[in-house]
Amino acid sequence: MSEAHYNHRFIEHKWQQNWREKKLYQVENHSNKPAYYVLDMFPYPSGAGLHVGHPLGYIASDIVSRFKRQNGFNVLHPMGYDAFGLPAEQYAIQTGKHPAETTAENISRYRKQLDRIGFSYDWSREVRTCEPNYYKWTQWIFKQLFNHWYNANSNKAEHIDNLVAIFENEGNINVNHAGGEVEAFIAEEWLHYNKRQKEDILQQYRLAFIHETTVNWCEELGTVLANEEVKDGLSERGGYPVIKKPMRQWFLRITAYAQRLLDGLDTIDWSDSIKEIQRNWIGRSEGASVHFKIDQDKQNRSLEIFTTRPDTIFGATFMVVAPEHEWVSDLITSEQHDEATAYVEWAKNRSERERMSEVKNVTGAFTGSYCMHPFTGKLVPIWVADYVLGGYGTGAIMAVPAHDARDHAFAKKFGLDIVQVISNDEVDVQKESFDAKHGQCINSDFLNGLEVKEAIKAAIDFIKDKNLGEAQINYKLRDAGFGRQRYWGEPIPVVFDKDDIPSLIPDQELPLTLPTVESYKPTGSGESPLASMDEWVNTKQGRRETDTMPGWAGSSWYFLRYMDPENEQVIASKDAIKYWGQVDFYLGGAEHATGHLLYSRFWTKFLSDTNVLPFDEPFKKLVNQGMIQGTVESLYLRKEKINDVSHFVSADLVDNLDDFTQIPVHVDFVTDYKKTDAKSYLNVDGIRQFKEWRPEYDQAVFECSNGTVQNGTFEASDDSIEPVFYTKSEIGKMSKRWFNVVNPDDICEEYGADTLRLYEMFLGPLEDAKPWNISGIDGVYRFLKKTWKLFVDKDGNYLPNDQAADKKSLKTLHATIKKVSDDIQRISLNTCASTFMIAVNEFTEQKCTNKEVLEQFLIILSPFAPHIAEELWEMGGQSESIALAKWPTFDEKHLVEDSKNYPISINGKTRTNLELSLSLCKDEIEKAVLADAEVQKWLDGKPPKKVIVVPGRIVNLVV
RNA sequence: GCGGGUGUGGUGAAAUUGGUAGACACGCUAGACUUAGGAUCUAGUGCUUAACCGCGUGAAGGUUCGAGUCCUUUCACCCGCACCA
């Protein structure tokens, strides 16, 4: 006897247990079916648990997985955890609880939440980046990077031993590599270098290398941050100030792959916006490097600059070097010493934040030195200014104030010459620079009369001919800092000997496991908590590296480990990698555009160079799900206290926002939260709850338009009984921080996982950001109940039977098959949900009881709502899971119509409809339309000027 | 400033190749039924109008028999990058 009513709690529990026991979603690495790999970006298991936004992408990818499985693919659909990270460590600092412990707890909570939603993950393949048997391979990849260099001739990574062999034979004269600048040496010299010198040279070549640089130092977090982790001079996590500080750091030479990372974008199916973000980040620009001979230089040196506008070289009236430029102190003359040195010191000590916030405010100083203009031979002064960046190009520029806004501002401020060299009709270059890349050269000797584009070519040719420089390509992309002064990360498998020369620990000692420490507090000296563990740090081979790897290390290759998670010999077997190949479908947030998504592409290319992988792009197709937003509720608080008492003011009374700060309020206290057509507000009870929650405001006054509330009593200014204290409602992130989190568990409890799944899809296009709004969920729940009623009557009897299906039902079924099959493939999952609703409405109307039709419908519904589909499938006597059922084939013949209700438009406006046979030809249709009484009325007896007949679509008359 | 994206009812949104704009839902309005529910069913619901007409996809032009869709200009909002020479 089945349940008469749709009971989601019972059904979902039953089937989740059944799938688990049968290991239904476990897959093998061998199959005669084609492989398909569907991957979610694995989560960082935070203490807050999942909110309804997280599963959005997981639901979509689960639908694709189930769809592919039913279409005959062997589908790899795994899940795991990105388990190293700062929050667990900060929690440990506060509580002393080991990060491994909190991480494990968070993971088990995540798992429970995920299980309730009915995903088809193969959990036997779960990976956790913090497990030694996982990070063993992260360390192994690091070792490979250390042991390789980038050969710019063969355009791939090669083993460092090959490089050493070359050095021993012929020095580095013929070596063309991507990496640091190295002075030329011959074999003889190499052989005479000592160990230290050799290693210093090799460090310029290795893809993982240690290097003294200025880093983004965050005092508060006690760590170095990558550029990506710094936003506007503040740490992305926590918002603490970040300054520049010199430090010895591990780096990965991602810049070696800049061009390939750029080129590879053309081969993958990702959104334009993500590709553009990456292109922008890599920041390729073409131009020329030019040497400007320094006047009166004892060493006879030339200042090398990079420009994308060599066509404007005759307009270069001064030079600028960055304060970090290595020759700055040499360039500063004794007359200029005091002023220029003071400036350089000042500029170097400015924090990132100060530099950014004062972009408009140009600063700089004259060094006292001059360069010789390579084209004219004139002397041009050399300035130092921090608008030129030490890290880009050569850290020096030729300034062309007439055609570059920044140079222009600088010239104006310091009274330097402005010489126009590109003609234009719009701007007076003495007042404003003309930066556009078009116009003709003037005042430019042999370039005169040339268009900008031609002039660039001509100038580069000249530069090359005269040996003044060469054509050059620069990238904004920087090498990636790889060391973190943190505990909760992968130890870097390196020891330093007594001469401080780094070497790798041998493979058989991997994994180098993370020891237990007494304190997780950073040492403050910039070293990780590991540094205080003498017995761990000091080994026979030397002193261990105490930095750990950054968060992105483990996530840069995790998709490979799912293929063969237990393998102890290699990161994954060749066979497994060959069978599964690239990720066919990758789903996750767009916020990883310049982090994870770039680093994993880099590692994949590297592993491809070293023959670990047969492909060099990790993710063939990428879809970015939009954020599910929440409504943030806040109260307006006067910045100034009145008589030492805090005053909150109802939103309708607030005029000048500058006088107020916004204090977030827990949405549970708010009346009419998110109801349509109602403004949300606090009543007396809400105010009381708020004060209990934030006791520091216990004495506060709440001003509303109908009175004030203080100490729990409401003094009305009119005859109202209840205060209405309006809150400010804004669409924003769903986050613990804003107290507006909706837990998927609650939705599963009330409406069921199938409703949650279908509703999240129904909400709108997957890639769009959309606010979570509970009110629509009833419609989806009703739909599932209606679906249930197609199969089960009110007494619990199973309804479908073997009576022949009528034509209409077959038409509904096949239209649905077609639409849903197409829409899943173009990831238009919201329209699938509507299509199901239409189908169920039609079947209900048709009183369809044909078992075959209804069961085929269940199959296509099952990726979206697997539990109810499974239950109704079983009721029909099926013994195998619906997840293994074959996706129905669409048959055109059921959709063929013999007539069409033509819209008849007159002058482009639809006026009437006419039912006509589809077998009619154009002329016959025209005749029939003109004969129609309604049409005649519109024609008013006159013949139409023109008749357009589109058979099967529309008829349009022009009168 | 540069790059990417989005603007359609009271709300979430459909409209895949230019062919009946607003599917499917939410909400709302009436009504039915009743084991009074967060139930079910029926009808209506872009604006305007008694109705016809008219007007309607951010705005203004254009192409076309026909434009949400194509072209030009422009406005607003969101996201990313930003002193990158």
Side-chain angles (χ1 to χ4, degrees):
Chain A
M1 179 72 190
S2 28
E3 295 263 350
H5 298 286
Y6 171 47
N7 179 346
H8 65 262
R9 287 189 197 93
F10 171 76
I11 294 172
E12 291 177 0
H13 180 78
K14 169 182 164 185
W15 287 105
Q16 282 163 14
Q17 198 175 343
N18 176 294
W19 298 333
R20 192 162 40 237
E21 282 164 7
K22 282 194 190 147
K23 300 192 162 84
L24 187 64
Y25 304 116
Q26 206 157 309
V27 284
E28 298 299 323
N29 284 354
H30 310 282
S31 168
N32 46 12
K33 293 178 188 170
Y36 197 83
Y37 190 173
V38 180
L39 183 64
D40 290 303
M41 286 186 189
F42 64 169
Y44 172 78
S46 80
L50 293 173
H51 64 62
V52 290
H54 294 109
L56 180 72
Y58 305 156
I59 294 168
S61 65
D62 198 56
I63 289 166
V64 171
S65 302
R66 289 172 180 274
F67 173 75
K68 283 285 172 183
R69 214 175 276 129
Q70 290 172 321
N71 276 279
F73 288 85
N74 189 31
V75 178
L76 176 56
H77 186 42
M79 186 45 108
Y81 303 95
D82 187 13
F84 275 131
L86 222 43
E89 183 158 341
Q90 280 173 328
Y91 188 76
I93 292 168
Q94 287 160 22
T95 63
K97 205 166 176 181
H98 197 285
E101 214 180 308
T102 39
T103 303
E105 284 167 13
N106 292 345
I107 285 177
S108 85
R109 174 147 183 237
Y110 265 59
R111 176 63 191 275
K112 279 200 190 103
Q113 290 187 294
L114 290 170
D115 280 348
R116 283 200 82 168
I117 305 173
F119 294 124
S120 62
Y121 293 124
D122 177 357
W123 283 106
S124 72
R125 293 170 183 261
E126 180 193 303
V127 301
R128 300 179 182 190
T129 56
C130 66
E131 290 292 331
N133 64 8
Y134 179 88
Y135 68 66
K136 171 182 178 180
W137 297 105
T138 313
Q139 291 171 333
W140 180 83
I141 294 170
F142 173 85
K143 287 186 62 181
Q144 304 307 305
L145 287 159
F146 183 88
N147 274 334
H148 283 79
W149 64 291
Y150 198 89
N151 185 337
N153 288 332
S154 64
N155 224 344
K156 60 189 273 194
E158 293 181 10
H159 202 277
I160 202 85
D161 290 349
N162 302 345
L163 183 68
V164 172
I166 295 170
F167 289 170
E168 286 168 354
N169 281 317
E170 52 174 65
N172 70 347
I173 322 279
N174 295 317
V175 173
N176 181 10
H177 81 300
E181 296 243 336
V182 189
E183 285 191 22
F185 55 81
I186 57 170
E188 185 85 312
E189 289 172 296
W190 171 259
L191 293 170
H192 285 95
Y193 289 148
N194 64 29
K195 202 178 165 203
R196 161 96 259 163
Q197 290 169 313
K198 282 183 178 168
E199 183 55 36
D200 283 348
I201 289 169
L202 289 177
Q203 284 290 327
Q204 303 296 315
Y205 293 84
R206 297 185 188 279
L207 292 178
F209 61 102
I210 197 159
H211 182 52
E212 170 108 9
T213 48
T214 56
V215 294
N216 302 306
W217 171 255
C218 180
E219 188 66 44
E220 214 75 28
L221 296 174
T223 190
V224 169
L225 299 172
N227 290 335
E228 297 89 299
E229 293 167 315
V230 182
K231 290 257 177 308
D232 301 327
L234 297 174
S235 65
E236 196 179 30
R237 191 180 289 280
Y240 303 115
V242 174
I243 57 161
K244 293 276 178 195
K245 180 175 168 177
M247 207 176 211
R248 215 164 156 227
Q249 277 289 307
W250 284 98
F251 284 88
L252 297 190
R253 209 179 296 284
I254 189 173
T255 50
Y257 285 87
Q259 189 59 48
R260 281 171 64 189
L261 287 167
L262 209 49
D263 294 341
L265 290 172
D266 297 331
T267 69
I268 48 183
D269 183 10
W270 293 16
S271 73
D272 287 340
S273 78
I274 294 276
K275 287 187 183 182
E276 273 310 310
I277 290 170
Q278 291 207 348
R279 282 193 192 107
N280 214 316
W281 191 259
I282 295 166
R284 180 190 154 105
S285 58
E286 289 179 37
S289 74
V290 190
H291 293 267
F292 282 61
K293 221 165 147 4
I294 300 169
D295 191 47
Q296 311 271 332
D297 183 50
K298 284 180 210 114
Q299 297 169 59
N300 208 16
R301 290 176 294 193
S302 292
L303 192 63
E304 186 184 354
I305 61 101
F306 174 73
T307 177
T308 56
R309 295 294 303 274
D311 56 310
T312 63
I313 195 163
F314 288 96
T317 52
F318 58 100
M319 312 294 291
V320 187
V321 297
E324 300 86 4
H325 198 278
E326 55 172 335
W327 297 346
V328 163
S329 51
D330 298 350
L331 291 170
I332 295 172
T333 59
S334 46
E335 300 87 70
Q336 287 297 328
H337 180 270
D338 292 352
E339 190 194 335
T341 308
Y343 175 75
V344 169
E345 278 313 304
W346 174 81
K348 276 188 180 168
N349 284 325
R350 283 175 95 195
S351 74
E352 194 87 348
R353 188 169 174 71
E354 287 170 320
R355 265 177 107 147
M356 297 225 197
S357 59
E358 290 169 32
V359 167
K360 296 265 141 51
N361 194 4
V362 223
T363 59
F366 179 44
T367 61
S369 294
Y370 292 83
C371 269
M372 199 117 70
H373 192 292
F375 284 31
T376 64
K378 278 188 200 151
L379 288 182
V380 288
I382 305 173
W383 287 66
V384 54
D386 71 356
Y387 82 89
V388 172
L389 306 175
Y392 182 77
T394 60
I397 61 156
M398 66 173 197
V400 183
H403 304 291
D404 181 284
R406 294 152 304 175
D407 297 343
H408 194 273
F410 195 84
K412 275 284 185 196
K413 170 142 181 186
F414 294 102
L416 298 158
D417 291 345
I418 299 171
V419 176
Q420 181 172 5
V421 289
I422 307 289
S423 66
N424 81 87
D425 304 328
E426 302 132 54
V427 190
D428 172 7
V429 298
Q430 295 303 326
K431 292 198 179 113
E432 198 185 327
S433 71
F434 176 74
D435 296 15
K437 273 188 158 181
H438 58 79
Q440 285 188 354
C441 290
I442 53 173
N443 301 327
S444 293
D445 195 350
F446 67 95
L447 295 177
N448 282 343
L450 292 178
E451 269 295 319
V452 166
K453 266 195 179 160
E454 305 160 337
I456 289 176
K457 261 192 214 139
I460 291 177
D461 287 345
F462 183 86
I463 289 162
K464 277 197 241 172
D465 278 359
K466 299 279 182 264
N467 225 359
L468 298 166
E470 61 203 338
Q472 199 180 320
I473 293 159
N474 264 338
Y475 301 91
K476 282 191 237 175
L477 187 69
R478 308 295 163 82
D479 285 328
F482 198 66
R484 294 297 125 94
Q485 294 65 46
R486 284 276 151 189
Y487 171 74
W488 192 229
E490 301 87 345
I492 294 176
V494 164
V495 288
F496 295 91
D497 70 8
K498 58 181 183 347
D499 299 316
D500 218 23
I501 298 172
S503 62
L504 296 171
I505 70 166
D507 280 356
Q508 57 273 20
E509 287 177 31
L510 295 186
L512 172 59
T513 52
L514 198 54
T516 308
V517 291
E518 271 169 38
S519 162
Y520 304 99
K521 280 208 174 77
T523 57
S525 63
E527 287 180 300
S528 100
L530 291 175
S532 53
M533 297 205 59
D534 291 341
E535 70 280 21
W536 185 82
V537 172
N538 299 307
T539 71
K540 264 183 268 165
Q541 291 80 29
R543 189 175 48 82
R544 280 206 168 108
E545 171 58 76
T546 58
D547 280 9
T548 56
M549 299 186 194
W552 53 267
S555 61
S556 294
W557 71 280
Y558 75 109
F559 57 96
L560 297 170
R561 191 61 179 170
Y562 286 133
M563 296 176 180
D564 196 5
E566 308 290 339
N567 200 315
E568 294 189 0
Q569 311 309 316
V570 280
I571 65 173
S573 77
K574 283 257 183 231
D575 286 347
I577 292 171
K578 194 176 162 214
Y579 178 67
W580 293 113
Q582 289 159 284
V583 174
D584 293 287
F585 184 87
Y586 194 29
L587 214 151
E591 67 273 20
H592 298 107
T594 55
H596 162 63
L597 288 171
L598 197 61
Y599 296 129
S600 31
R601 293 185 59 222
F602 161 41
W603 281 30
T604 301
K605 286 181 191 304
F606 170 70
L607 292 172
S608 156
D609 285 356
T610 52
N611 295 319
V612 175
L613 300 180
F615 47 83
D616 84 339
E617 282 291 342
F619 316 120
K620 253 198 253 178
K621 180 179 174 66
L622 171 72
V623 172
N624 302 112
Q625 89 273 22
M627 207 183 3
I628 291 201
Q629 298 155 311
T631 303
V632 178
E633 296 283 351
S634 52
L635 308 183
Y636 285 108
L637 172 67
R638 278 192 202 281
K639 281 181 182 162
E640 304 285 330
K641 287 187 176 181
I642 301 174
N643 298 329
D644 215 30
V645 175
S646 301
H647 277 245
F648 287 96
V649 176
S650 177
D652 54 328
L653 301 178
V654 167
D655 41 16
N656 190 355
L657 287 175
D658 292 343
D659 298 339
F660 296 90
T661 43
Q662 279 175 249
I663 307 290
V665 55
H666 200 297
V667 297
D668 287 356
F669 310 155
V670 177
T671 307
D672 281 342
Y673 172 56
K674 301 227 51 184
K675 285 220 182 111
T676 8
D677 291 341
K679 275 194 185 167
S680 48
Y681 65 97
L682 295 183
N683 56 21
V684 169
D685 208 43
I687 291 172
R688 182 186 54 75
Q689 291 181 66
F690 173 74
K691 290 200 300 187
E692 276 169 19
W693 182 61
R694 299 289 296 269
E696 66 269 35
Y697 295 120
D698 192 42
Q699 298 301 313
V701 175
F702 294 78
E703 305 171 14
C704 344
S705 58
N706 63 349
T708 55
V709 179
Q710 190 174 18
N711 297 323
T713 50
F714 173 51
E715 278 182 43
S717 55
D718 52 20
D719 51 3
S720 21
I721 314 155
E722 263 272 291
V724 180
F725 185 91
Y726 288 111
T727 54
K728 167 85 175 167
S729 311
E730 289 164 295
I731 298 291
K733 258 196 179 147
M734 191 174 278
S735 149
K736 210 178 168 185
R737 199 173 154 197
W738 304 116
F739 315 102
N740 59 357
V741 170
V742 181
N743 188 330
D745 294 349
D746 298 341
I747 308 293
C748 287
E749 181 58 28
E750 261 192 88
Y751 296 95
D754 286 337
T755 302
L756 175 72
R757 292 170 65 108
L758 209 48
Y759 182 57
E760 292 219 359
M761 294 302 104
F762 187 62
L763 224 42
L766 184 61
E767 308 213 11
D768 291 3
K770 44 208 163 259
W772 175 260
N773 195 337
I774 194 72
S775 63
I777 206 166
D778 287 319
V780 172
Y781 191 53
R782 247 169 245 162
F783 158 74
L784 289 177
K785 283 193 282 193
K786 267 192 209 168
T787 307
W788 184 265
K789 286 202 289 190
L790 275 177
F791 289 81
V792 182
D793 74 10
K794 61 181 182 344
D795 300 319
N797 299 310
Y798 182 75
L799 292 171
N801 56 43
D802 294 333
Q803 263 173 27
D806 72 31
K807 234 180 135 182
K808 280 185 179 166
S809 296
L810 283 169
K811 188 184 166 194
T812 300
L813 174 69
H814 283 269
T816 308
I817 295 171
K818 183 181 194 323
K819 175 84 174 139
V820 172
S821 306
D822 288 354
D823 284 359
I824 291 179
Q825 281 175 88
R826 57 190 187 102
I827 319 299
S828 172
L829 304 178
N830 52 328
T831 50
C832 291
S834 320
T835 308
F836 292 135
M837 291 175 181
I838 294 168
V840 165
N841 289 345
E842 288 179 7
F843 285 143
T844 306
E845 186 148 325
Q846 294 155 8
K847 301 199 165 47
C848 175
T849 54
N850 179 270
K851 192 174 171 202
E852 211 183 327
V853 166
L854 292 175
E855 287 200 330
Q856 295 212 13
F857 174 74
L858 279 184
I859 297 172
I860 52 176
L861 178 65
S862 68
F864 295 77
H867 309 86
I868 190 176
E870 195 81 277
E871 178 72 12
L872 293 171
W873 181 253
E874 188 196 47
M875 275 187 203
Q878 299 281 359
S879 54
E880 202 180 47
S881 169
I882 196 167
L884 306 172
K886 195 176 166 295
W887 191 262
T889 24
F890 158 68
D891 190 342
E892 182 76 51
K893 79 173 183 226
H894 298 295
L895 298 192
V896 174
E897 299 261 11
D898 11 278
S899 70
K900 150 105 191 162
N901 192 18
Y902 278 93
I904 312 299
S905 56
I906 317 277
N907 291 335
K909 290 200 170 84
T910 310
R911 294 304 181 184
T912 182
N913 286 292
L914 200 54
E915 186 82 20
L916 291 170
S917 164
L918 279 166
S919 61
L920 296 181
C921 71
K922 271 191 175 188
D923 290 346
E924 290 168 318
I925 294 171
E926 183 173 338
K927 219 183 265 172
V929 167
L930 291 176
D932 183 73
E934 185 68 24
V935 173
Q936 279 303 321
K937 206 174 83 192
W938 280 96
L939 287 177
D940 204 14
K942 285 166 246 162
K945 260 192 213 154
K946 197 171 176 183
V947 181
I948 295 103
V949 178
V950 186
R953 282 209 188 266
I954 199 169
V955 178
N956 189 18
L957 306 180
V958 186
V959 186

